[in-house]
Amino acid sequence: MNFEGNVLFDRYLKPTRHTHWSEAESIHGISPQMVVDSPSMVDVKEEIQDIVDRASEYIGYNLSFDLAFLIAAGIRFDPVVRRVDVMHLFAPIWGDYNEYFCEYTWCKLMDMANFYGFEWPKSAHNSLADCFATLFCYQKIIEETKIDYSKVYEQGHVNLNQKQKERGVNYTITYKRQANRNYWTQIKITDIFDFEWEKNGYDQSIAVGFGNNYAYAMQELGVIKPFKIEIIREIARL
């Protein structure tokens, strides 16, 4: 399927390594009898490869899972082509943050589709229906992006003086819509830390002043180099 929703390939394929798949059949409803006269992956490989070669980006839900199957079947994917995993994009919007793993939990495609009001056909777990659902939700996310999703503001939030800007200080705030319609916020500050000579450093602390000025001297000699500092603070509103 392309970004406009035009179906490029929709066909049952007959497995060559298995003759029955009861567990999978209970999920997608495809029985061995339904594919007995279908082509194998080898038969349609060139057709699929042609579609992949003409793609400007790869979009999917849990994309790496699908790509792994296709790569195992011999389909080649251009590493330069942009890959969009809608599952990862939607996770912050869903808003289920895992404190242990320090990341947002992925949800099922059906949950995301229901969140955006996608109308499922009768056979919900048909692969074509999954494609329509993924595209529908991705376009919804893009619509929000134009206004507020993952939008970065760099002004008005902090007063950076000219000296700080010259040193590479950067301050950004990123907002993302959560499932509860509140916003997840990320505050990110980056700085290039370099030492400056402290004329009065010894007045505050002899050890700190001596250490700072010693480090400054080593920096001037090229023994040590400025290093990057990155501070990230994330806030999820419940």
Side-chain angles (χ1 to χ4, degrees), residues 86-110:
V86 184
M87 181 177 72
H88 293 281
L89 289 181
F90 183 68
I93 301 174
W94 186 246
D96 184 11
Y97 189 77
N98 187 305
E99 295 288 348
Y100 181 80
F101 291 104
C102 298
E103 64 180 6
Y104 285 93
T105 303
W106 307 327
C107 69
K108 295 180 179 180
L109 172 60
M110 186 171 290

Side-chain angles (χ1 to χ4, degrees), residues 108-235:
K108 295 180 179 180
L109 172 60
M110 186 171 290
D111 290 331
M112 179 183 71
N114 292 339
F115 175 85
Y116 283 115
F118 176 73
E119 295 184 5
W120 288 98
K122 293 181 180 179
S123 179
H125 206 87
N126 177 279
S127 59
L128 183 60
D130 288 356
C131 290
F132 275 115
T134 300
L135 178 61
F136 176 86
C137 295
Y138 180 46
Q139 291 175 339
K140 286 291 186 180
I141 293 173
I142 290 176
E143 290 177 9
E144 290 194 358
T145 302
K146 293 180 180 178
I147 302 174
D148 49 37
Y149 179 82
S150 192
K151 187 174 181 181
V152 177
Y153 299 86
E154 296 183 358
Q155 66 280 346
H157 296 283
V158 67
N159 295 319
L160 300 180
N161 60 41
Q162 188 60 36
K163 188 173 183 180
Q164 287 175 317
K165 293 179 180 178
E166 290 174 355
R167 290 179 56 199
V169 177
N170 185 43
Y171 182 96
T172 61
I173 296 182
T174 302
Y175 301 95
K176 294 182 181 179
R177 199 69 146 325
Q178 298 178 153
N180 59 14
R181 298 299 176 181
N182 284 327
Y183 288 87
W184 166 88
T185 306
Q186 182 191 78
I187 303 171
K188 183 177 180 180
I189 302 174
T190 58
D191 186 12
I192 304 299
F193 189 87
D194 52 356
F195 295 94
E196 293 185 353
W197 187 264
E198 293 287 349
K199 295 182 180 179
N200 300 317
Y202 293 98
D203 294 340
Q204 302 298 325
S205 169
I206 294 179
V208 173
F210 177 80
N212 179 86
N213 290 349
Y214 177 82
Y216 170 80
M218 294 298 101
Q219 180 178 278
E220 291 295 296
L221 293 173
V223 177
I224 61 176
K225 296 180 179 180
F227 56 92
K228 183 178 180 180
I229 296 176
E230 186 173 88
I231 302 172
I232 298 178
R233 168 66 172 166
E234 293 184 347
I235 304 171

Side-chain angles (χ1 to χ4, degrees), residues 41-93:
M41 183 64 184
V42 175
D43 298 325
V44 298
K45 180 180 175 181
E46 291 186 7
E47 183 179 354
I48 295 177
Q49 186 65 63
D50 180 63
I51 295 172
V52 171
D53 291 343
R54 289 185 284 112
S56 58
E57 61 181 349
Y58 310 132
I59 304 170
Y61 198 84
N62 196 7
L63 182 63
S64 59
F65 180 83
D66 295 330
L67 293 187
F69 274 96
L70 292 170
I71 292 172
I75 302 300
R76 302 180 306 278
F77 291 88
D78 189 340
V80 178
V81 174
R82 180 170 177 254
R83 303 183 182 191
V84 180
D85 194 330
V86 184
M87 181 177 72
H88 293 281
L89 289 181
F90 183 68
I93 301 174

